[in-house]
Amino acid sequence: MNVLITNKQETLLAGLSVEIIKTLRGEFEAEEIIGTFSNFFFGRMILDLTAIKEYENIANIQKLSIGLPVEKIILLLPTDGNFSTNSYLSKLISMGFYNFTTNLEGVEYLINNPNTYKDVAHMHQLEPVMPVGPVPAIPQAPAGGNNVQQQPQQQQVQSIQRVRVIGFKNCTDSAGATTLVVTMKKELENFHGKSVKAIEVGKRDFVYFNDKSLVSINKAEFLSELSKSYNYDLVLVDLNDMDEAVCNEIYYLIEPSIIKINKIAKRDRNIFEKLKGKNIIINKSMISNDEITEFASETGLKIFTAIRPFNDRSRSQVLTGLLNRLGIIQSNQNGGKSGGFGGMFGH
């Protein structure tokens, strides 16, 4: 179920060997295209860039990125060299367009093998980023040397703070990563004096929390946003479909209800094999510790901890236990148990 919008490159696209349910030919305002397809179900849109009126103006392409699902769009770019430079392609990538080509073979390939950000990242020109890893060692002055000469470099290195970036990713549907990230941020800022940035990638669910400090971005914006985060104590990320490699550590959330577990296993028979060795958080759990132990044994998963449902309108003993388990705070409020998931709740 694909749609085709073509203009100057119609002859090239005439050889397209895929099913097309709707075709537009000619030159169209970006708003016209959005109005036609915003409520139209399609699998892929093959879009001849020359079919966009004033396509040389990148702002018109940006309108499409806002009004249509960019992950479904394959851009057929003119062979003019101006549209194949890293500078131009980088602008497309920043808008979320990862699927673009200049030939028919590329179009047909991308229909069945769409790119992810990882596939086009090498073309993406980002602003210089501030390091977020460990602070580099400061060279020592030679014996008998002038220590004063080392001070500017020392001050510069010490100004680059070590930022811990923790990602949370739902494995089962609606496992609670978004609420968990926001609630952790509130707890750490309000009661533990931590400076925390919360980021969600690829969605806009943060808007429902009515908190302007929460950051919602697309995948292409993530590294740039992270580069602005060096003055925070901690960055918490609701990853959604973002590549896990962007974080220092990742925790995978599973809601252990029968229907949620069966759904994820049916979608991917190898899901538990893929998750072996990763840090699993059993979230919104109403099952007993013994049942969690049995689940871990059956699936071969490493259960980092388990969390009972909690009230996100007030402080929670459960949340304090999780923060302690993560090593973000030091507290005995969870009964002094810091290992396994037994300390999070009783039977």
Side-chain angles (χ1 to χ4, degrees):
M1 293 294 193
N2 307 297
V3 298
L4 173 64
I5 307 174
T6 184
N7 186 27
K8 295 179 181 179
Q9 303 186 93
E10 181 178 5
T11 302
L12 186 153
L13 288 169
L16 199 60
S17 59
V18 296
E19 182 181 359
I20 302 295
I21 59 171
K22 186 176 181 66
T23 301
L24 296 181
R25 294 180 175 86
E27 189 177 72
F28 306 92
E29 298 278 358
E31 291 83 357
E32 290 181 80
I33 298 174
I34 293 169
T36 302
F37 292 101
S38 59
N39 294 312
F40 188 94
F41 177 79
F42 58 89
R44 293 279 183 268
M45 174 184 286
I46 299 96
L47 176 57
D48 175 357
L49 197 72
T50 67
I52 304 169
K53 190 173 183 179
E54 298 181 6
Y55 63 90
E56 300 89 350
N57 184 351
I58 196 72
N60 290 320
I61 316 302
Q62 186 178 29
K63 292 176 184 177
L64 293 177
S65 74
I66 297 171
L68 292 174
V70 290
E71 68 277 4
K72 294 185 176 183
I73 298 175
I74 299 172
L75 293 175
L76 179 62
L77 305 177
T79 53
D80 181 339
N82 292 331
F83 298 93
S84 58
T85 65
N86 271 8
S87 175
Y88 184 81
L89 297 180
S90 186
K91 291 175 182 177
L92 293 180
I93 295 168
S94 292
M95 297 175 198
F97 291 104
Y98 303 154
N99 297 295
F100 40 79
T101 182
T102 58
N103 55 65
L104 183 63
E105 293 77 13
V107 171
E108 293 184 333
Y109 176 82
L110 290 171
I111 287 174
N112 298 312
N113 304 277
N115 286 331
T116 65
Y117 178 71
K118 184 184 291 186
D119 298 312
V120 297
H122 63 284
M123 293 182 278
H124 197 193
Q125 297 177 347
L126 294 169
E127 297 176 0
V129 299
M130 184 69 73
V132 295
V135 178
I138 301 169
Q140 298 298 313
N146 187 350
N147 288 331
V148 176
Q149 294 178 356
Q150 295 295 324
Q151 289 179 0
Q153 182 183 15
Q154 182 173 1
Q155 291 171 355
Q156 181 181 9
V157 173
Q158 288 178 338
S159 69
I160 302 173
Q161 298 188 22
R162 184 179 305 180
V163 180
R164 185 179 178 188
V165 182
I166 307 178
F168 295 88
K169 193 162 192 170
N170 289 336
C171 292
T172 54
D173 295 335
S174 304
T178 304
T179 298
L180 185 61
V181 164
V182 174
T183 310
M184 287 173 64
K185 177 181 185 295
K186 288 166 57 179
E187 171 74 15
L188 289 167
E189 289 185 334
N190 294 339
F191 303 104
H192 300 281
K194 302 284 187 181
S195 175
V196 181
K197 175 179 276 191
I199 302 173
E200 69 170 342
V201 184
K203 289 190 177 181
R204 293 290 185 268
D205 291 338
F206 275 178
V207 69
Y208 302 111
F209 291 93
N210 297 316
D211 183 345
K212 293 183 179 179
S213 71
L214 302 174
V215 179
S216 299
I217 55 174
N218 61 42
K219 297 177 185 178
E221 298 169 320
F222 182 78
L223 292 179
S224 179
E225 185 64 38
L226 198 60
S227 72
K228 307 171 191 173
S229 308
Y230 59 89
N231 57 334
Y232 287 87
D233 297 321
L234 184 69
V235 177
L236 303 175
V237 186
D238 178 7
L239 285 165
N240 294 305
D241 293 328
M242 184 72 179
D243 187 349
E244 292 95 328
V246 299
C247 297
N248 302 132
E249 53 198 280
I250 307 290
Y251 296 88
Y252 297 82
L253 272 59
I254 291 178
E255 184 181 341
S257 66
I258 292 174
I259 187 170
K260 294 291 181 71
I261 295 297
N262 286 345
K263 273 187 176 182
I264 189 177
K266 190 170 184 178
R267 281 200 301 262
D268 185 350
R269 294 181 181 179
N270 299 316
I271 183 62
F272 296 124
E273 188 67 30
K274 293 176 181 177
L275 291 173
K276 280 186 178 179
K278 300 184 184 295
N279 289 314
I280 306 297
I281 293 179
I282 302 294
N283 197 29
K284 299 191 283 188
S285 173
M286 294 299 293
I287 61 179
S288 70
N289 287 358
D290 288 342
E291 289 170 317
I292 293 173
T293 301
E294 183 179 353
F295 173 75
S297 177
E298 290 175 350
T299 59
L301 296 181
K302 168 188 170 186
I303 308 301
F304 177 78
T305 195
I307 308 174
R308 283 223 185 259
F310 59 86
N311 181 1
D312 61 357
R313 296 175 182 268
S314 60
R315 293 194 72 185
S316 171
Q317 182 80 17
V318 169
L319 196 60
T320 302
L322 172 62
L323 296 174
N324 194 346
R325 178 86 174 100
L326 288 167
I328 300 172
I329 64 171
Q330 297 297 321
S331 170
N332 291 321
Q333 294 182 39
N334 67 343
K337 299 178 181 180
S338 59
F341 49 81
M344 296 299 293
F345 54 83
H347 291 282

